[in-house]
Amino acid sequence: MVQFRFCIISALLLVFFSAIVSAQSSGTESEDVKPFEFALIGDMPYANADFRKFDRLIKEINADQKLAWVLHAGDIKTGLSPCSDELLRDRLKRFQQFQLPFILTPGDNEWTDCHRFTAGSYHPLERLAYLRKLFYPQPGVSLGQSTMTVTTQSRDAAFSEFVENIRWKKNRVIFATLHIVGSNNGLLPFSARTQADDDEVKRRINAALFWIKQTFTEARESNAHGVFLLFQANPRFELAKGNDKRLGFEEILNLLEQESVEFGKPVMLAHGDSHHFRLDKPLFSSGAGKKHIENVTRVETFGNRDIHWVRVVVDPNSPEVFTVHKQIVEKN
């Protein structure tokens, strides 16, 4: 009889503790896949005439309690305006008005194109070094009045200069930035171009390829629900492979195609560069019967005179994971 009672009590305790563990697991899972939102901007502010509009955009984003962070897709000035220390410091000061964590990926206007006479006839590599020092003073920590910790590629001794390539995760979705810029990813010729400029492009492409591979590896190993990649350049998805105008992007696009297909879950590619909002399926599968890669979506930000922003809603429970909403700033 005693043994029977002991068995009954043991069984009840087992059921009780199993229920607790199950409830805790469900709670954790629920928290892991809770939806969240963030702001995406790019190609701004370009000129002094845009500052009031940009201030209104900052005010609107700061007032939105649903947002987790702000992403900027690069190009923080026009390609013809001065690349001076003063102008770059001005942009940093403006970005620091965002109360949320702020993440910037570099654009070509702020370093690659600084060789232009109107931009100050700087050497692009010198401007790149200054840009990294100014906008990434604490590698692995975002900008913004509230900061967040991220993983930076510069932790890898083989890519120690790439403080701007970062990765982080929230609610089982992986985010990463890639230093991919316009001007054919820095390949456009200019009179003072040297072998060092060519070497920089090769090294930056290799860093991006390695970072893409690592990002998707982490996504697969952690059973992530989706991957979001941010870069500046419009990599000319629409052009045929081998076209000279996408030479600087060819290896990257090929790898994105390969990794996205293998991952098989939603991938969002976000960039600026062309100055108009768009949302589409930019990648096509290789081989006969050219078809869209359906799990890959491209979102391009507003920019230049259109000082508006994009709300990205991330719902790990939904089949598409990422949904995009245009946010038009009143009076802009």
Side-chain angles (χ1 to χ4, degrees):
M1 186 67 176
V2 173
Q3 185 176 3
F4 176 74
R5 287 180 178 175
F6 177 77
C7 290
I8 292 295
I9 293 172
S10 298
L12 290 173
L13 287 173
L14 180 61
V15 171
F16 176 73
F17 284 114
S18 295
I20 291 177
V21 171
S22 177
Q24 289 177 338
S25 298
S26 298
T28 302
E29 178 69 14
S30 176
E31 184 65 26
D32 281 349
V33 296
K34 185 178 179 181
F36 60 96
E37 304 176 10
F38 63 89
L40 172 66
I41 63 175
D43 297 283
M44 63 178 73
Y46 265 19
N48 293 355
D50 300 328
F51 290 163
R52 286 189 178 181
K53 291 183 178 181
F54 193 62
D55 287 343
R56 284 193 285 266
L57 178 142
I58 293 173
K59 183 178 180 180
E60 182 170 300
I61 289 176
N62 282 345
D64 195 316
Q65 299 299 310
K66 295 181 180 180
L67 302 176
W69 55 67
V70 181
L71 303 185
H72 193 301
D75 272 8
I76 61 178
K77 55 178 283 299
T78 72
L80 299 176
S81 57
C83 295
S84 64
D85 291 2
E86 180 183 7
L87 186 146
L88 295 177
R89 287 196 299 266
D90 171 83
R91 296 304 189 265
L92 176 61
K93 182 178 179 180
R94 294 180 189 280
F95 295 153
Q96 285 300 95
Q97 294 177 35
F98 284 103
Q99 295 171 2
L100 294 166
F102 181 88
I103 289 171
L104 170 72
T105 191
D108 56 344
N109 287 358
E110 45 263 31
W111 74 273
T112 310
D113 299 339
C114 292
H115 60 85
R116 295 170 178 170
F117 177 76
T118 57
S121 300
Y122 291 91
H123 195 286
L125 298 186
E126 184 276 330
R127 288 291 81 187
L128 174 58
Y130 183 73
L131 189 76
R132 284 170 167 160
K133 179 181 178 181
L134 182 65
F135 288 97
Y136 309 92
Q138 291 182 272
V141 179
S142 73
L143 296 173
Q145 294 177 22
S146 297
T147 61
M148 68 178 184
T149 302
V150 295
T151 299
T152 171
Q153 192 174 21
S154 64
R155 295 196 315 175
D156 185 341
F159 300 102
S160 59
E161 71 267 40
F162 291 96
V163 292
E164 67 274 19
N165 285 347
I166 63 172
R167 185 167 60 241
W168 69 103
K169 180 167 64 174
K170 182 175 175 65
N171 296 4
R172 296 177 64 184
V173 177
I174 307 291
F175 297 83
T177 65
L178 300 162
H179 193 166
I180 306 168
V181 296
S183 302
N184 208 346
N185 208 4
L187 284 177
L188 290 186
F190 57 94
S191 59
R193 191 178 185 96
T194 67
Q195 184 62 46
D197 297 288
D198 296 339
D199 292 342
E200 186 282 329
V201 175
K202 293 177 183 177
R203 180 157 173 76
R204 188 162 40 80
I205 289 174
N206 285 337
L209 294 173
F210 193 81
W211 203 232
I212 290 168
K213 290 177 183 177
Q214 280 198 334
T215 298
F216 278 98
T217 296
E218 180 179 340
R220 286 189 293 269
E221 291 179 350
S222 65
N223 195 27
H225 291 269
V227 170
F228 185 99
L229 300 177
L230 175 71
F231 45 91
Q232 185 264 325
N234 176 354
R236 312 305 296 270
F237 294 107
E238 72 280 3
L239 298 180
K241 292 184 178 183
N243 189 299
D244 288 345
K245 292 183 179 180
R246 57 178 263 169
L247 182 62
F249 311 115
E250 198 75 72
E251 292 179 88
I252 293 168
L253 292 176
N254 289 341
L255 182 61
L256 285 174
E257 175 188 324
Q258 174 188 326
E259 292 285 356
S260 297
V261 169
E262 184 177 348
F263 180 56
K265 298 177 185 179
V267 175
M268 179 159 278
L269 307 177
H271 67 81
D273 201 10
S274 306
H275 305 160
H276 64 269
F277 172 85
R278 78 174 110 192
L279 187 69
D280 60 13
K281 300 290 184 181
L283 286 182
F284 293 87
S285 58
S286 299
K290 189 177 181 182
K291 296 181 180 179
H292 287 289
I293 299 176
E294 292 297 334
N295 65 309
V296 180
T297 303
R298 178 255 297 270
V299 58
E300 182 169 0
T301 68
F302 295 100
N304 196 0
R305 297 298 182 186
D306 292 330
I307 311 295
H308 307 295
W309 59 287
V310 176
R311 181 190 302 273
V312 181
V313 179
V314 184
D315 184 357
N317 294 300
S318 69
E320 63 272 13
V321 178
F322 306 104
T323 54
V324 168
H325 306 273
K326 295 183 289 185
Q327 301 293 136
I328 305 301
V329 179
E330 191 176 354
K331 296 184 180 181
N332 280 5

